[in-house]
């Protein structure tokens, strides 16, 4: 009797990726397979698969993390099916929640991949990923900028130096900076501390301006159409428009407002059991940076757009934070509509 293979054998590889080593678990469609450690090198894994599973259809998956998507792109270049998954999407049984090792993580990823229960996250192209790195660098500088301003204010408070009333606000004008430079302390050491902090403040201030300019210039040059559409929406300025383009990419990939709202984190959580039903507020699973940008943009939108202002006033009497989230959701919906229809936003007029 002649036997013949009627189906392509399949190999499922779950990888727990770290900087110095990978923990890999290989399972086939028939057997649970084995786990092993290896150097963080996709070529080494390719050689292993070619040696032991030459005729297999290969699928790989690993958790999104600090190592980025370079391994994913290498796996796809080999002709393998590859997924990068959100760690929260990997199902763990009750007893597995209390035990965590790299080996167990790799086995879980392989098992979920084999059972078809994994959905990959969106992988940006290289250009978009590198643009996103510039946007995130700007946000790092914003944090540094706020921090050094706080340090300077704290030093003044600690030494009992009161600011003139005209400078008692968040705007650091050139006059205020000169006043800081002219402060006289009893000892030179305190003056040296303030001078050092002022040098760092000016450095971060200039870096923030330069990076913001580069970011806007790039988006205007290479994503001009979408950038100008986003800028037509009240509340969305140049930096917010850049953030949407960098972090969310092409909004046309979202099928609906519900899909986009779930990704950004402006969708409500719900809990229903029998006849009991309650909403839990916005979901904790979110793109927190973009969500915060939309909330900030909503405060500007209700000042500039009468329709958005009327929507805000319609819910007055409730918690202000809840109302602004509703406005942010509406602004998100209109942002998606502007991009999909490719029609600039028109400020509404109330009759």
């Amino acid at each position: 009797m002649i036997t013949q293979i009627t189906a392509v054998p399949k190999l499922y590889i779950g990888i727990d990726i770290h900087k110095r080593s990978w923990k890999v678990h290989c399972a086939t469609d028939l057997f649970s397979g084995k786990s092993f450690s290896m150097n963080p090198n996709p070529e080494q894994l390719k050689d292993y698969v070619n040696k032991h599973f030459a005729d297999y259809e290969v699928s790989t998956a690993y958790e999104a993390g600090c190592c980025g998507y370079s391994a994913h792109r290498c796996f796809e270049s080999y002709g393998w099916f590859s997924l990068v998954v959100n760690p929260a999407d990997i199902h763990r049984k009750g007893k597995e929640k209390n035990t965590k090792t790299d080996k167990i993580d790799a086995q879980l990823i392989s098992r979920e991949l084999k059972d078809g229960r994994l959905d990959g996250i969106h992988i940006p192209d290289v250009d978009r990923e590198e643009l996103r790195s510039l946007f995130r660098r700007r946000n790092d500088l914003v944090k540094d900028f706020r921090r050094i301003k706080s340090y300077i204010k704290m030093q003044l408070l600690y030494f009992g130096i009161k600011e003139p009333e005209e400078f008692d606000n968040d705007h650091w004008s050139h006059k205020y900076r000169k006043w800081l430079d002219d402060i006289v302390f009893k000892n030179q050491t305190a003056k040296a501390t303030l001078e050092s902090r002022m040098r760092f403040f000016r450095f971060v201030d200039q870096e923030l301006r330069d990076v913001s300019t580069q970011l806007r210039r790039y988006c205007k040059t290479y994503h001009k159409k979408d950038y100008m559409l986003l800028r037509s929406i009240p509340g969305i300025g140049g930096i917010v428009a850049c953030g949407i383009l960098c972090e969310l990419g092409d909004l046309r990939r979202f099928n609906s407002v519900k899909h986009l709202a779930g990704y950004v984190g402006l969708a409500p959580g719900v809990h229903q059991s029998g006849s009991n039903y309650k909403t839990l507020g916005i979901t904790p699973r979110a793109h927190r940076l973009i969500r915060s940008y939309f909330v900030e943009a909503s405060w500007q939108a209700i000042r500039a757009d009468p329709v958005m202002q009327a929507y805000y006033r319609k819910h007055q009497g409730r918690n202000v934070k809840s109302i602004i989230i509703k406005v942010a959701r509406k602004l998100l919906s209109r942002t998606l509509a502007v991009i999909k229809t490719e029609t600039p936003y028109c400020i509404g007029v109330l009759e």
Side-chain angles (χ1 to χ4, degrees):
M1 182 176 66
I2 301 175
T3 60
Q4 184 177 1
I5 298 176
T6 58
V8 178
K10 295 180 174 57
L11 176 67
Y12 302 95
I13 304 176
I15 312 171
D16 191 40
I17 287 184
H18 295 283
K19 177 183 177 180
R20 301 186 184 280
S21 66
W22 290 358
K23 182 65 74 171
V24 179
H25 182 81
C26 296
T28 68
D29 47 350
L30 300 177
F31 304 103
S32 60
K34 58 180 264 186
S35 300
F36 59 91
S37 296
M38 59 171 287
N39 294 326
N41 185 357
E43 286 292 333
Q44 185 175 337
L45 181 60
K46 179 186 177 185
D47 294 339
Y48 177 86
V49 170
N50 290 339
K51 180 178 179 181
H52 297 90
F53 305 96
D55 299 323
Y56 280 68
E57 183 180 293
V58 183
S59 299
T60 67
Y62 67 90
E63 296 177 350
C66 63
C67 295
Y69 310 120
S70 58
H72 165 78
R73 295 189 176 102
C74 288
F75 297 151
E76 286 196 329
S77 69
Y78 305 153
W80 300 353
F81 175 75
S82 178
L83 288 177
V84 182
V85 299
N86 186 325
D89 290 343
I90 300 173
H91 174 71
R92 291 175 179 268
K93 298 177 182 177
K95 62 181 181 180
E96 293 169 344
K97 294 180 180 179
N98 301 318
T99 307
K100 184 187 184 305
T101 65
D102 292 347
K103 180 179 179 180
I104 291 175
D105 288 347
Q107 291 173 346
L108 289 177
I109 295 171
S110 179
R111 182 189 72 190
E112 296 298 295
L113 180 63
K114 181 177 179 179
D115 293 342
R117 290 198 292 258
L118 288 183
D119 292 320
I121 63 174
H122 173 70
I123 307 298
D125 56 42
V126 176
D127 292 341
R128 188 82 64 169
E129 187 178 15
E130 293 179 354
L131 174 61
R132 187 173 67 180
S133 69
L134 184 62
F135 177 71
R136 293 184 177 181
R137 170 58 183 160
R138 183 191 177 276
N139 282 280
D140 292 338
L141 289 169
V142 170
K143 293 177 184 178
D144 291 338
F145 192 61
R146 291 172 179 167
R147 188 179 299 114
I148 188 58
K149 288 172 73 174
S150 296
Y151 283 150
I152 294 171
K153 292 276 191 178
M154 286 162 52
Q155 182 175 353
L156 299 181
L157 178 64
Y158 184 82
F159 287 108
I161 299 175
K162 293 186 178 181
E163 300 172 318
E165 188 175 346
E166 60 179 308
F167 299 141
D168 190 15
N169 53 59
D170 294 331
H171 178 61
W172 286 40
S173 63
H174 291 290
K175 288 184 178 180
Y176 178 61
R177 299 180 193 189
K178 186 177 185 307
W179 176 80
L180 289 172
D181 292 334
D182 294 339
I183 292 177
V184 177
F185 291 90
K186 182 177 179 180
N187 294 309
Q188 186 61 29
T189 49
K191 181 65 175 177
T193 303
L194 182 59
E195 288 175 347
S196 174
R197 285 176 171 155
M198 287 302 296
R199 286 195 299 271
F200 185 63
F201 166 78
R202 288 189 169 94
F203 169 77
V204 174
D205 183 34
Q206 189 60 47
E207 279 293 301
L208 182 57
R209 293 173 187 272
D210 292 344
V211 170
S212 299
T213 300
Q214 292 172 358
L215 192 60
R216 286 191 292 262
R217 183 185 300 123
Y218 186 93
C219 290
K220 285 180 182 178
T221 303
Y222 297 98
H223 303 283
K224 183 176 181 179
K225 182 179 180 181
D226 286 355
Y227 178 82
M228 298 310 296
L229 286 171
L230 291 170
R231 289 285 282 113
S232 69
I233 303 172
I236 296 183
I239 294 300
V240 177
C242 291
I244 294 171
L245 293 172
C246 297
E247 295 290 342
L248 301 183
D250 188 357
L251 295 183
R252 296 171 185 84
R253 67 185 177 89
F254 293 98
N255 299 324
S256 63
V257 177
K258 185 178 180 180
H259 183 197
L260 176 58
Y263 185 89
V264 173
L266 288 172
V270 296
H271 182 272
Q272 187 267 331
S273 179
S275 59
N276 296 323
Y277 182 91
K278 63 179 180 179
T279 57
L280 305 176
I282 54 177
T283 173
R285 180 165 175 168
H287 193 307
R288 298 183 185 277
L289 180 60
I290 293 300
R291 182 168 69 181
S292 68
Y293 270 46
F294 267 99
V295 172
E296 291 179 13
S298 298
W299 288 111
Q300 298 297 324
I302 61 179
R303 295 183 179 94
D305 189 347
V307 173
M308 298 294 278
Q309 186 176 124
Y311 183 76
Y312 178 85
R313 294 185 182 281
K314 174 184 174 183
H315 296 88
Q316 274 190 327
R318 303 177 60 182
N319 185 354
V320 174
K321 293 181 180 179
S322 300
I323 302 175
I324 202 62
I325 291 298
K326 284 181 170 292
V327 176
R329 170 66 181 255
K330 194 174 188 68
L331 181 64
L332 184 70
S333 172
R334 296 190 171 196
T335 301
L336 182 63
V338 164
I339 293 297
K340 284 205 166 188
T341 62
E342 298 185 354
T343 304
Y345 187 91
C346 293
I347 295 178
V349 178
L350 294 177
E351 296 181 357

